[in-house]
Amino acid sequence: MAFQWRSFALAMLIGLLSFADDIRAAEPQVPVLWDAKERLPKPDLSALPRLRFLTTTDFPPFNFLDSAGKLSGFHIDLARAICAELGIVEKCQIQALPWAELEGALQKGEGEAIIAGIAATPDSRSTYAFSRSYLQFPARFVMPKSKALTEPVFDKLRGKRVGVVAGS
């Protein structure tokens, strides 16, 4: 009798796990763009006098001025994390400029890196060394699940307000 219950319990557990997998498969999957276990060798930065990241203040949540006027956002946090990982926090600087001035400032030597959404095109790749992608940009719509739209979304959005960043 105990054997039958164990077999039944095992079958139920396997069924529940399979059901859970089906539920997870129905949820949107977040793309994984890197191997979390990969460890790249750290460069020798002892001769580097400073590392200046150039960015903008007009593309929240990536880079913006918060309510206290402090430079904030994902790119700012990422730049600080890079400097911490490299052990050069004291040499790290982040400067915000208007978008149109970023590339010119880098070319003039006013910074060592741009941390902003510059498109990796064949032309820009001939000029700059890009990091690996850490973000993919097809557009995403965010809404409460209770009001979720089904495909095709275009017709269902007709006449509704959709927020976008100008010029994006």
Side-chain angles (χ1 to χ4, degrees):
M1 182 87 162
F3 177 74
Q4 290 175 347
W5 279 107
R6 279 188 225 144
S7 297
F8 176 74
L10 182 59
M12 288 297 294
L13 180 59
I14 291 170
L16 285 173
L17 291 174
S18 174
F19 179 70
D21 285 343
D22 291 344
I23 290 172
R24 274 191 296 268
E27 291 292 317
Q29 299 297 309
V30 176
V32 177
L33 302 174
W34 63 87
D35 179 358
K37 295 177 184 173
E38 180 183 27
R39 295 293 177 253
L40 298 173
K42 291 183 182 177
D44 178 11
L45 300 175
S46 58
L48 186 72
R50 66 184 173 264
L51 177 56
R52 298 170 295 177
F53 286 97
L54 305 174
T55 193
T56 67
T57 60
D58 61 353
F59 199 63
F62 298 99
N63 11 321
F64 61 95
L65 296 176
D66 67 13
S67 60
K70 180 182 171 196
L71 192 55
S72 300
F74 177 76
H75 284 145
I76 308 312
D77 294 342
L78 180 59
R80 290 181 180 136
I82 290 168
C83 290
E85 180 68 24
L86 294 173
I88 59 166
V89 172
E90 67 286 346
K91 295 180 177 184
C92 199
Q93 299 173 358
I94 305 170
Q95 180 181 354
L97 300 169
W99 173 260
E101 296 177 22
L102 288 178
E103 293 185 60
L106 186 68
Q107 290 170 352
K108 289 186 236 171
E110 296 172 3
E112 285 69 49
I114 293 175
I115 190 156
I118 295 191
T121 64
D123 187 45
S124 64
R125 284 187 183 280
S126 70
T127 306
Y128 303 112
F130 283 84
S131 68
R132 290 184 187 169
S133 293
Y134 56 88
L135 178 69
Q136 281 186 346
F137 254 129
R140 300 282 192 249
F141 291 99
V142 179
M143 65 196 81
K145 277 190 171 186
S146 63
K147 297 180 181 179
L149 301 174
T150 57
E151 294 290 339
V153 174
F154 179 78
D155 290 329
K156 294 180 178 90
L157 290 177
R158 189 180 313 280
K160 298 201 183 305
R161 293 182 127 187
V162 177
V164 298
V165 175
S168 67

